[in-house]
């Protein structure tokens, strides 16, 4: 491998932190959702990197599972957002305040 | 992979197939007669229960060691199946009353239950992640089941975003553990940890992230912010199921992962767990004091109970107390399950459409008008508090005594003090029920009343003879963990 493994690790850590910040700071539910996917993909990067590093297949198989699960989550999440948009005409998280807390 | 692998996970396969079958069958069941779907799914759960108990004493290993069915899994699977049965019993009349009667509720509940069961079978981090999602995704939908009701939809979205956020933490943590060791199966990681052939920094960060992720799932302070909102907004039967099932599954996963995979890291993790447990007990109980909505009150009480449960993890590095602590935790989970479903059954009997009938004031006069409901609610609240001779007392007693044995008497003291605080808000409900005049309106449906009756009976009988349940918990652990 030409590129040292630590580079991949740092890149994935950066992606993960961007994802966390996105979830915590952005107020649009869709952008929050994209940030969540970023967190998942940061983990995927780790799996692929170290599957190659250790020369085992487990990591790559894990990535397939993660992608499938993420797709299932997208289906449910988008359906929820559409349902809320129909009732409220907004998916701004700051306006989600009919429950105190 | 051969047939004997499938033999080990028969209950799981059956439950998932049954849920898919019900989704299809439900299309031909006319609206207004969804009770048939409810009965069919309850029948499926009972068959699964028989299938779970069939394996008896033996420990089954399947799929090259990635699935292990031992006493621990059987004990918790029974707990989950009973929770799902209670979730169905509470739901049918409630959904009808609130005009939400749709057949999808029941298959979703079954699929979520199968995820919880897989969580207890999992012996590989891939499966822990899959089980986590399998149990969570149906719950996101169920939380928003009361469609067009904004509170329910908001609760669902909040639960979804926070749930996916916590899955992200678990996943990244698992990724780091894989990066540190090169394995995802528990024995492989444990071996690497013993040999020292791993990167300790990555391993520790990974373990911390996994703990954070499951902390969100089980609503530990400071990761609890979502839970009161979600518990309040979601339909009550879903909340009841969520507060028992999702929490117990989160703890089951934590227990497996920590005891099997991270035993060598107790030096680093014990202070962290100690702080989390103490914080959760304090915050949960103190914020519960000022709640006026019964659903929020029970939500904070459930956070507080997470703190007590977490106490069982603190001495996990100490091999001599570990099995006692885990048995104590299983006992507490069973007690918590019975008490919670009973209490929610009473809440559901009083709840009316559009979130009415959920304030504490609505319980005034219950003692005179409906003595049975008030008596059962009193039993549950006393058990939550941990008043002697109730099931909750023995649960706390075992947890606190193992904490003391493990040398964490300060934590047991905090537990005792916070239990005293909790007496105030639990007993306030009892006082309102018996001392204040009022005309509560109650829907006297058979199944919720039966649930609360059975729950109260179990709490009283097992409170008098706690040895039966404790023996079950201990013998579950003897078969290995």
């Amino acid at each position: 491998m030409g590129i040292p493994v630590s580079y991949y690790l740092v890149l994935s850590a950066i992606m993960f932190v961007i994802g966390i910040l996105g979830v915590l700071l952005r107020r649009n539910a869709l952008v929050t959702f994209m940030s969540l996917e970023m967190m998942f993909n940061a983990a995927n990067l780790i799996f692929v990197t170290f599957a190659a590093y250790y020369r085992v297949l487990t990591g790559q198989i894990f990535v397939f599972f993660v992608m499938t699960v993420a797709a299932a989550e997208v289906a449910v999440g988008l359906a929820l957002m559409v349902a809320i948009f129909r009732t409220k005409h907004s998916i701004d998280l700051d306006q989600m305040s009919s429950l105190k807390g | 992979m051969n047939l004997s692998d499938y033999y080990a996970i028969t209950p799981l396969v059956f439950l998932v197939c049954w849920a898919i079958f019900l989704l299809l069958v439900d299309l031909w069941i006319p609206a207004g007669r969804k009770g048939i779907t409810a009965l069919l799914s309850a029948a499926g759960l009972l068959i699964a229960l028989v299938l779970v108990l069939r394996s008896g004493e033996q420990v089954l290993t399947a799929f090259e060691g990635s699935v292990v069915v031992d006493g621990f899994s059987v004990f918790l699977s029974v707990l989950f199946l009973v929770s799902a049965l209670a979730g169905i019993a509470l739901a049918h009349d409630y959904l009808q009353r609130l005009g939400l009667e749709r057949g999808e509720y029941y298959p979703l509940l079954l699929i979520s239950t199968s995820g919880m069961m897989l969580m207890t079978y999992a012996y590989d981090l891939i499966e822990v992640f899959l089980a986590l999602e399998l149990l969570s995704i149906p719950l996101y939908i169920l939380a928003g089941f009361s469609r067009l009701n904004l509170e329910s939809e908001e609760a669902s979205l909040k639960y979804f975003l926070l749930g996916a956020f916590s899955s992200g933490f678990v996943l990244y943590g698992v990724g780091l553990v894989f990066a540190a060791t090169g394995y995802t199966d528990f024995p492989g990681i444990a071996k690497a940890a013993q040999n020292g052939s791993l990167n300790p920094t990555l391993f520790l960060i990974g373990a911390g992230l996994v703990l954070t992720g499951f902390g969100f799932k089980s609503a530990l302070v400071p990761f609890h912010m979502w839970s009161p909102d979600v518990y309040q907004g979601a339909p009550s039967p879903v909340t009841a199921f969520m507060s028992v099932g999702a929490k117990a599954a989160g703890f089951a996963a934590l227990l497996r992962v920590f005891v099997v995979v991270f035993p060598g890291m107790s030096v680093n993790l014990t202070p962290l767990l100690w702080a989390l447990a103490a914080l959760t007990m304090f915050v949960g109980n103190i914020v519960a004091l000022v709640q006026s909505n019964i659903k929020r009150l029970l939500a904070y009480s459930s956070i507080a109970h997470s703190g007590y449960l977490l106490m069982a993890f603190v001495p996990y590095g100490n091999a001599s107390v570990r099995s006692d602590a885990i048995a104590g935790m299983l006992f507490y989970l069973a007690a918590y399950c019975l008490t919670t479903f009973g209490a929610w059954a009473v809440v559901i009997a009083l709840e009316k459409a559009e979130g009415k009938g959920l304030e504490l004031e609505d319980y005034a006069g219950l003692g005179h008008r409906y003595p049975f409901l008030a008596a059962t609610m009193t039993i549950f609240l006393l058990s939550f508090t941990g008043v002697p001779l109730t099931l909750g007392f023995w649960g706390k007693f075992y947890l606190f005594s193992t904490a003391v044995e493990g040398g964490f008497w300060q934590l047991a003291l905090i537990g005792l003090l916070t239990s005293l605080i909790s007496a105030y808000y639990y007993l306030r409900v009892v006082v309102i029920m018996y001392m204040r005049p009022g005309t509560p309106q109650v829907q006297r449906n058979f199944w919720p009343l039966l649930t609360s009756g059975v729950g109260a009976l179990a709490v009283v009988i097992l409170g008098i003879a706690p040895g039966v349940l404790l023996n079950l918990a201990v013998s579950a652990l003897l078969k290995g963990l």
Side-chain angles (χ1 to χ4, degrees):
Chain A
M1 242 188 318
I3 306 169
V5 83
S6 59
Y7 282 33
Y8 290 96
L9 208 55
V10 170
L11 176 64
S12 96
I14 291 172
M15 279 167 72
F16 187 65
V17 171
I18 291 176
I20 294 180
L21 291 178
V23 172
L24 295 178
L25 300 178
R26 295 303 293 265
R27 300 288 67 178
N28 184 312
L30 269 179
V31 180
T32 309
F33 197 47
M34 283 153 64
S35 310
L36 286 173
E37 292 298 312
M38 181 88 106
M39 289 170 71
F40 275 56
N41 283 323
N44 280 348
L45 184 60
I46 287 197
F47 284 121
V48 174
T49 309
F50 284 89
Y53 178 75
Y54 289 113
R55 306 203 173 281
V56 288
L57 273 179
T58 344
Q60 300 196 8
I61 292 166
F62 208 141
V63 172
F64 277 110
F65 279 112
V66 173
M67 280 174 3
T68 319
V69 164
E73 260 189 354
V74 168
V76 172
L78 288 183
L80 277 177
M81 282 176 210
V82 170
I84 289 189
F85 191 77
R86 280 195 187 153
T87 349
K88 253 189 97 121
H89 303 292
S90 152
I91 46 168
D92 190 334
L93 293 180
D94 278 337
Q95 291 178 25
M96 306 276 162
S97 49
S98 59
L99 300 161
K100 54 182 171 184
Chain B
M1 206 185 295
N2 51 36
L3 269 183
S4 70
D5 287 345
Y6 289 98
Y7 174 74
I9 58 164
T10 324
L12 212 60
V13 174
F14 171 78
L15 210 55
V16 172
C17 292
W18 190 256
I20 294 168
F21 166 72
L22 277 181
L23 266 181
L24 288 175
V25 167
D26 185 60
L27 292 175
W28 281 277
I29 293 177
R33 309 194 60 181
K34 296 298 184 193
I36 303 172
T37 323
L39 279 180
L40 281 176
S41 44
L45 286 170
L46 285 175
I47 297 173
L49 196 60
V50 173
L51 289 174
V52 164
L53 292 173
R54 127 219 84 121
S55 70
E57 292 294 307
Q58 73 214 84
V59 177
L60 302 168
T61 313
F63 298 105
E64 295 172 0
S66 66
V67 164
V68 172
V69 184
D70 53 14
F72 176 76
S73 333
V74 171
F75 187 93
L76 282 172
S77 296
V78 171
L79 191 81
F80 294 141
L81 290 168
V82 170
S83 308
L85 277 174
I88 289 174
L90 295 182
H92 179 57
D93 297 319
Y94 178 91
L95 296 179
Q96 220 166 25
R97 198 160 77 221
L98 271 63
L100 304 171
E101 200 179 23
R102 279 192 297 274
E104 293 84 14
Y105 178 91
Y106 307 103
L108 285 173
L109 199 74
L110 294 197
I111 292 175
S112 182
T113 313
S114 70
M116 292 167 187
M117 282 166 64
L118 180 62
M119 191 73 110
T120 64
Y121 293 175
Y123 231 65
D124 190 309
L125 289 170
I126 297 183
E127 263 159 73
V128 170
F129 174 71
L130 281 181
L132 181 67
E133 295 296 318
L134 189 59
L135 89 88
S136 303
I137 293 178
L139 280 181
Y140 304 148
I141 308 173
L142 286 175
F145 204 72
S146 158
R147 262 189 62 198
L148 304 181
N149 169 358
L150 202 55
E151 288 195 353
S152 175
E153 287 181 343
E154 266 187 38
S156 178
L157 188 67
K158 275 185 186 168
Y159 191 36
F160 170 74
L161 289 178
L162 263 297
F165 193 50
S166 70
S167 305
F169 275 96
V170 171
L171 190 62
Y172 200 75
V174 170
L176 288 181
V177 169
F178 175 67
T181 60
Y183 292 98
T184 57
D185 58 316
F186 291 179
I189 300 170
K191 211 195 287 164
Q194 252 171 8
N195 299 341
S197 59
L198 50 73
N199 183 329
T201 325
L202 286 183
F203 196 55
L204 192 62
I205 300 175
L209 286 175
V210 171
L211 177 64
T212 312
F214 283 111
F216 270 112
K217 216 55 300 142
S218 305
L220 304 174
V221 177
F223 316 116
H224 69 291
M225 298 311 288
W226 59 274
S227 95
D229 287 1
V230 173
Y231 282 18
Q232 188 188 355
S236 301
V238 179
T239 311
F241 180 65
M242 206 152 67
S243 67
V244 174
K247 186 169 299 227
F251 275 111
L254 269 185
L255 198 64
R256 275 272 210 230
V257 172
F258 276 77
V259 172
V260 180
V261 180
F262 302 140
M265 296 166 69
S266 55
V267 189
N268 296 322
L269 289 175
T270 297
L272 195 65
L273 290 169
W274 195 101
L276 277 178
L279 201 62
T280 310
M281 287 188 282
F282 258 119
V283 173
N285 279 313
I286 285 173
V287 184
L289 289 176
V290 296
Q291 301 302 323
S292 63
N293 179 305
I294 188 86
K295 280 175 102 171
R296 284 186 89 82
L297 186 126
L298 286 178
Y300 279 107
S301 125
S302 126
I303 293 173
H305 286 286
S306 298
Y308 297 120
L309 282 165
L310 194 63
M311 202 190 268
F313 285 87
V314 178
Y316 88 99
N318 185 342
S320 58
V321 251
R322 185 197 295 152
S323 60
D324 280 350
I326 295 170
M329 195 193 84
L330 290 180
F331 183 94
Y332 198 91
L333 270 178
Y336 173 75
C337 166
L338 289 170
T339 320
T340 305
F341 274 109
W344 279 101
V346 178
V347 171
I348 284 168
L350 270 94
E351 183 171 352
K352 289 188 281 294
E354 288 165 2
K356 300 267 181 351
L358 290 172
E359 295 301 311
L360 291 186
E361 296 308 318
D362 295 317
Y363 285 73
L366 196 70
H368 302 292
R369 298 292 293 275
Y370 300 99
F372 171 73
L373 273 184
T376 53
M377 190 64 170
T378 309
I379 292 173
F380 300 133
L381 293 172
L382 291 179
S383 175
F384 273 142
T385 320
V387 172
L389 291 183
T390 59
L391 195 53
F393 166 74
W394 294 109
K396 283 186 180 166
F397 176 76
Y398 293 135
L399 281 183
F400 293 174
S401 58
T402 49
V404 172
E405 272 173 51
F408 297 97
W409 62 269
Q410 302 96 328
L411 200 60
L413 193 65
I414 293 176
L416 206 61
L417 284 175
T418 51
S419 297
L420 282 178
I421 297 174
S422 77
Y424 173 78
Y425 62 84
Y426 288 129
L427 295 183
R428 193 162 59 123
V429 182
V430 178
V431 168
I432 290 175
M433 284 195 301
Y434 282 101
M435 306 287 184
R436 298 249 186 98
T439 47
Q441 289 172 328
V442 168
Q443 271 80 24
R444 295 158 72 88
N445 289 320
F446 174 67
W447 291 106
L449 289 183
L450 180 75
T451 313
S452 75
V454 170
L457 206 62
V459 168
V460 170
I461 291 177
L462 290 174
I464 295 167
V468 185
L469 189 56
L470 189 69
N471 282 341
L472 279 178
V474 171
S475 66
L477 289 180
L478 283 183
K479 288 196 273 165
L481 182 77

